[in-house]
Amino acid sequence: GDSVTQTEGLVTLTEGLPVMLNCTYQSTYSPFLFWYVQHLNEAPKLLLKSFTDNKRPEHQGFHATLHKSSSSFHLQKSSAQLSDSALYYCALIGRGDSNYQLIWGSGTKLIIKP
Amino acid sequence: GPKVLQIPSHQIIDMGQMVTLNCDPVSNHLYFYWYKQILGQQMEFLVNFYNGKVMEKSKLFKDQFSVERPDGSYFTLKIQPTALEDSAVYFCASSFGTGGAPEQYFGPGTRLTVL
């Protein structure tokens, strides 16, 4: 079945440094990929989605590129801010899935230090 | 962005009692979902609902769980009877669901504590 792998459980960075959170996936069909961000005691919020008419999706300085050859959708930002500290989930919806069920990665906790 | 509302934000009940969690999804969305998140753990899918029917459910969706959306009102998750292991934050989500817009939007969650 479909799956999402986030290898880093915790990433700690100094403010101003670049961010890269890894996400790889397995899916029978070319899926939709998403990044959600969850701050403490809040709902997950959609940060990025992969299907933006061949444009690289960007939001709040974050971007991600879908690489079908390596089945990856890594999240990147050039300069981390303190407010970026949160839990980040990579998730997919399989194109063959008529129920549009989100398959979640295990999440990466990002901590940005001054 | 689109807003999903959940009522109540917190609920504390005794084991064995019934609880109903309410969700007001985005108005033109067609697919509705419940997820469970135990403190410090990852989000887990419970069930999705479309056109008045459960489309898919996970192993976590026990027989004590039920969902409905009567007459376009709240999308509800009912647990009867509750158990200690049901303590978690329950997130509702909705999506329009077509191939061009499958992304899900989440409510703020209901923190359920079963004593």
Side-chain angles (χ1 to χ4, degrees), chain B residues 47-111:
Chain B
V47 65
N48 66 356
F49 190 85
Y50 169 74
N51 198 27
K53 292 181 287 191
V54 170
M55 302 302 290
E56 198 166 5
K57 56 186 180 180
S58 72
K59 290 183 292 187
L60 294 177
F61 194 79
K62 305 179 293 185
D63 291 343
Q64 299 90 322
F65 287 39
S66 63
V67 291
E68 64 176 356
R69 191 184 188 212
D71 300 323
S73 60
Y74 287 143
F75 175 50
T76 62
L77 173 65
K78 183 184 293 184
I79 309 174
Q80 182 178 27
T82 51
L84 295 176
E85 61 265 27
D86 297 332
S87 293
V89 180
Y90 290 84
F91 289 100
C92 173
S94 70
S95 71
F96 191 65
T98 65
E103 62 267 31
Q104 296 176 23
Y105 292 90
F106 286 76
T110 294
R111 184 177 297 277

Side-chain angles (χ1 to χ4, degrees), chain B residues 6-45:
Chain B
Q6 289 187 242
I7 301 166
S9 56
H10 293 79
Q11 181 86 52
I12 300 174
I13 58 170
D14 291 323
M15 184 176 62
Q17 284 190 313
M18 183 194 76
V19 68
T20 300
L21 309 184
N22 299 291
C23 172
D24 188 10
V26 178
S27 59
N28 64 339
H29 282 183
L30 303 174
Y31 288 77
F32 313 111
Y33 309 80
W34 284 103
Y35 292 86
K36 178 181 180 181
Q37 187 176 42
I38 294 173
L39 187 65
Q41 298 183 21
Q42 78 180 90
M43 192 79 69
E44 294 184 281
F45 169 78

Side-chain angles (χ1 to χ4, degrees), chain A residues 15-31:
Chain A
E15 186 180 17
L17 290 180
V19 178
M20 179 158 153
L21 305 184
N22 292 320
C23 173
T24 57
Y25 64 89
Q26 283 189 308
S27 183
T28 305
Y29 303 102
S30 185

Side-chain angles (χ1 to χ4, degrees), chain A residues 32 34 36 38 41-46 49 51 87 89 93 95 97-102 104-107, chain B residues 31 33 35 37 41-43 45 48 55-56 91 95 97-108 111:
Chain A
F32 299 107
F34 305 88
Y36 282 85
Q38 186 179 25
N41 298 324
E42 294 184 9
K45 292 178 186 171
L46 181 64
K49 55 187 181 183
F51 46 104
L87 188 57
Y89 287 104
I93 293 175
R95 285 184 194 259
D97 180 4
S98 59
N99 292 321
Y100 305 105
Q101 179 185 337
L102 266 172
W104 297 85
S106 54
Chain B
Y31 288 77
Y33 309 80
Y35 292 86
Q37 187 176 42
Q41 298 183 21
Q42 78 180 90
M43 192 79 69
F45 169 78
N48 66 356
M55 302 302 290
E56 198 166 5
F91 289 100
S95 71
T98 65
E103 62 267 31
Q104 296 176 23
Y105 292 90
F106 286 76
R111 184 177 297 277

